Amino acid sequence: MAQEQALLSTEIVNRGVEPSGPDAGSPTFSVRVRRRLPDFLQSVNLKYVRLGYHYLISHGVYLATIPVIVLVCGAEVGSLSRDELWRKVWEEATYDLATVLAFLAVLAFTISVYIMSRPRPVYLIDFACYKPADELKVSKAEFIDLARKSGKFDEDSLAFQSRLLAKSGIGDESYMPRCVFEPIVNCATMKEGRAEASTAMFAALDELFDKCRVRPKDVGVLVVNCSLFNPTPSLSAMIVNHYKMRGNILSYNLGGMGCSAGVIAIDLARDMLQASGAGLAVVVSTEAVSFTWYPGKRRSMLIPNAFFRSGCAAVLLSNRRRDFHRAKYQLEHVVRTHKGADDRAFRSVYQEEDEQRIKGLAVSRDLLEVGGHALKTNITTLGPLVLPFSEQLLFFAGVLFRHLFPSKTTAPPPGEAATAAAAPYIPDFKRAFEHFCMHAASRDVLEHLRSNLGLREGDLEASRAALHRFGNTSSSSIWYELAYLEAKGRVRRGDRVWQLAFGSGFKCNSAVWRAVRRVRRPSRSPWIDSIDQYPARMDA
């Protein structure tokens, strides 16, 4: 019971003055109970730690044998003088041409097999983020005014959305398609969806191809992800048709995978590059806001209205070694976590119809708790791959100690307060990453992530700025955040960037990039006209 109560938070809500009844004229209040994001670093499942260390142990034979061989050979060679070593190599040993040629052939064959069997590194050459036209900007006040004029919402629904906007962390310059505010019952038509998606995707791709000086016909792999809008022909087919790409392109269209699909698309593109040797891959991450719009009254379905905004990102990947010199980043790790086996996690973000058969995206009250458990699993698996050895040792020793010697809760003596059990060691992720790009879902979620991961306020500056300027752009938000870091000129050679996103299913996915060179401020960026106003504007 105490553990359940620790996950609850209370809030006193002022309901105004009672208009009628025995309490007319008196102010009334209510207490609202909510679930908090669990402190997922305080309870670590050992099997996820074991999964992360499996990646290291699988290569442990090299770490164990190579130092021993070097030590033995070094000791043997070090015991001989230069003359003795020369005599053993050239005078006492006998060679013939066949032996030398056989040795060289075996050596060349071994080196060739080793090089060919190693997966090629995957480079991020460049990326582009879509910046909608200025006429699509909508402030929070204008949002409510347009929603009221559309005639789709009653006053209670408008008031609820207004409260959500006030604490969302979104500013007054995010973008929305105007079709959602038209006084028609259904704005989620195929025509509007195709128009919205094509405008965003083609604008991002045009900029990407121009910046990278790549022809569309040179692309061998195309991966497009959009969660709710999935027409026939697919969005990937729309791109192939628009740019007249080659006939043997490997194209994939990911749907229904939520805000974390951007990392999934990167993972799929990497696998396809490794398997096919296609050379170049393009990943497009977007969402059709008109298909997330809900004109009904159910509050769980009104939440996406207040947060989701228009956005799109296009990324160019390569596994050609010659592209190393013009690439910005190299992909180091992708860690994916899926909690779909749990029923609560599966239904935490669920598309369905309400009582009036109006389709919408329902967000459960359990979302923060479900997301916390998914994040705990993901970072526990990711930790051994990225943390310095000292942090890994302290973290693993703490987890192992707690697993072997679990603490027993005993009642405190009379008159003394109960003492909490010793908390496990929380790794310092700031020692593993220089930059953090965490999915800009809402201000509350970002604050919970910051406190639970022990990050500084400035570590999530890019996420908070992207949320304020562009809103929750779904799977493309992590790219708007990376564009913010580049526009600030903060990415230097060797820096590691952690992109973390989560979405329906329930999924939590991480991608780790290492900058292969210093990234200079780009001349084309969605932040080009507003970068100097941040981070000050977020606190205004």
Side-chain angles (χ1 to χ4, degrees), residues 389-415:
F389 181 74
S390 59
E391 292 292 322
Q392 294 186 41
L393 186 62
L394 291 171
F395 177 65
F396 184 70
V399 173
L400 188 62
F401 180 82
R402 290 170 62 87
H403 182 72
L404 296 177
F405 306 100
S407 59
K408 296 181 180 180
T409 57
T410 57

Side-chain angles (χ1 to χ4, degrees), residues 47 116 156 203 218 224 257 277 281 318 407 424 429 506 512 521:
K47 69 178 181 179
M116 295 177 63
D156 287 341
D218 296 332
V224 181
M257 305 194 78
S318 172
S407 59
F429 281 94
F506 191 87
V512 179
R521 293 189 177 186

Side-chain angles (χ1 to χ4, degrees), residues 317-334:
L317 304 176
S318 172
N319 67 342
R320 301 184 304 194
R321 299 187 188 277
R322 66 176 182 268
D323 287 329
F324 170 80
H325 298 289
R326 65 171 183 150
K328 287 185 175 181
Y329 307 93
Q330 179 178 335
L331 181 61
E332 289 196 338
H333 305 289
V334 174

Side-chain angles (χ1 to χ4, degrees), residues 51-69:
L51 178 62
Y53 279 92
H54 167 74
Y55 291 98
L56 296 180
I57 296 173
S58 60
H59 298 88
V61 63
Y62 303 108
L63 300 177
T65 58
I66 291 178
V68 174
I69 295 174

Side-chain angles (χ1 to χ4, degrees), residues 295-316:
K297 299 180 180 180
R298 189 190 293 185
R299 292 197 169 185
S300 62
M301 292 182 172
L302 288 170
I303 295 175
N305 287 2
F307 291 95
F308 283 108
R309 298 293 186 269
S310 298
C312 179
V315 183
L316 181 63

Side-chain angles (χ1 to χ4, degrees), residues 102-423:
F103 172 77
L104 293 177
V106 172
L107 180 62
F109 176 77
T110 304
I111 295 176
S112 301
V113 171
Y114 173 74
I115 294 176
M116 295 177 63
S117 61
R118 289 186 63 192
R120 290 187 177 185
V122 174
Y123 304 111
L124 189 158
I125 297 178
D126 211 335
F127 66 97
C129 295
Y130 165 60
K131 183 182 177 184
D134 288 343
E135 56 264 24
L136 297 182
K137 283 185 180 180
V138 56
S139 65
K140 288 178 285 190
E142 186 181 7
F143 179 100
I144 298 300
D145 185 55
L146 291 173
R148 178 179 285 107
K149 290 179 179 179
S150 69
K152 300 176 182 178
F153 305 99
D154 56 23
E155 287 302 319
D156 287 341
S157 299
L158 290 171
F160 178 69
Q161 293 179 83
S162 180
R163 291 195 298 270
L164 290 176
L165 284 170
K167 60 181 182 179
S168 64
I170 301 176
D172 289 328
E173 292 188 344
S174 59
Y175 303 89
M176 290 199 68
R178 285 297 187 266
C179 66
V180 300
F181 298 114
E182 294 179 1
I184 56 176
V185 177
N186 181 23
C187 64
T189 63
M190 298 303 294
K191 179 180 179 181
E192 293 291 350
R194 283 193 174 96
E196 180 185 353
S198 61
T199 300
M201 293 190 306
F202 297 159
L205 285 169
D206 287 344
E207 180 180 338
L208 179 70
F209 291 142
D210 184 56
K211 289 167 65 174
C212 300
R213 298 180 182 178
V214 170
R215 299 179 306 166
K217 287 185 178 295
D218 296 332
V219 177
V221 177
L222 173 64
V223 183
V224 181
N225 68 269
C226 183
S227 186
L228 295 182
F229 180 55
N230 293 285
T232 299
S234 65
L235 297 178
S236 60
M238 289 171 56
I239 294 175
V240 172
N241 174 262
H242 180 79
Y243 290 100
K244 309 303 178 187
M245 292 179 164
R246 65 196 197 193
N248 63 343
I249 188 172
L250 303 176
S251 65
Y252 300 88
N253 201 91
L254 306 180
M257 305 194 78
C259 302
S260 66
V263 178
I264 298 174
I266 292 292
D267 191 28
L268 176 59
R270 178 189 63 174
D271 292 343
M272 290 300 100
L273 285 176
Q274 302 289 9
S276 64
L280 294 177
V282 168
V283 173
V284 180
S285 298
T286 189
E287 189 59 74
V289 178
S290 57
F291 276 72
T292 66
W293 188 256
Y294 171 69
K297 299 180 180 180
R298 189 190 293 185
R299 292 197 169 185
S300 62
M301 292 182 172
L302 288 170
I303 295 175
N305 287 2
F307 291 95
F308 283 108
R309 298 293 186 269
S310 298
C312 179
V315 183
L316 181 63
L317 304 176
S318 172
N319 67 342
R320 301 184 304 194
R321 299 187 188 277
R322 66 176 182 268
D323 287 329
F324 170 80
H325 298 289
R326 65 171 183 150
K328 287 185 175 181
Y329 307 93
Q330 179 178 335
L331 181 61
E332 289 196 338
H333 305 289
V334 174
V335 175
R336 294 167 55 181
T337 301
H338 204 305
K339 288 291 187 178
D342 178 56
D343 290 339
R344 280 203 313 159
F346 177 73
R347 293 193 63 92
S348 59
V349 180
Y350 202 81
Q351 189 179 19
E352 59 184 348
E353 292 85 13
D354 64 5
E355 296 76 10
Q356 286 75 38
R357 302 187 64 82
I358 302 176
K359 185 169 60 177
L361 194 65
V363 178
S364 169
R365 294 181 177 179
D366 298 328
L367 180 62
L368 286 179
E369 182 182 359
V370 167
H373 292 303
L375 284 165
K376 176 188 69 175
T377 304
N378 190 267
I379 66 173
T380 306
T381 307
L382 178 67
L385 301 177
V386 298
L387 288 170
F389 181 74
S390 59
E391 292 292 322
Q392 294 186 41
L393 186 62
L394 291 171
F395 177 65
F396 184 70
V399 173
L400 188 62
F401 180 82
R402 290 170 62 87
H403 182 72
L404 296 177
F405 306 100
S407 59
K408 296 181 180 180
T409 57
T410 57
E416 295 186 12
T419 57

Side-chain angles (χ1 to χ4, degrees), residues 4 29 61 165-166 181 228 387 402 447 450 468 491 508:
E4 180 69 18
F29 301 88
V61 63
L165 284 170
F181 298 114
L228 295 182
L387 288 170
R402 290 170 62 87
E447 181 57 31
R450 186 196 64 78
H468 185 274
V491 183
C508 178

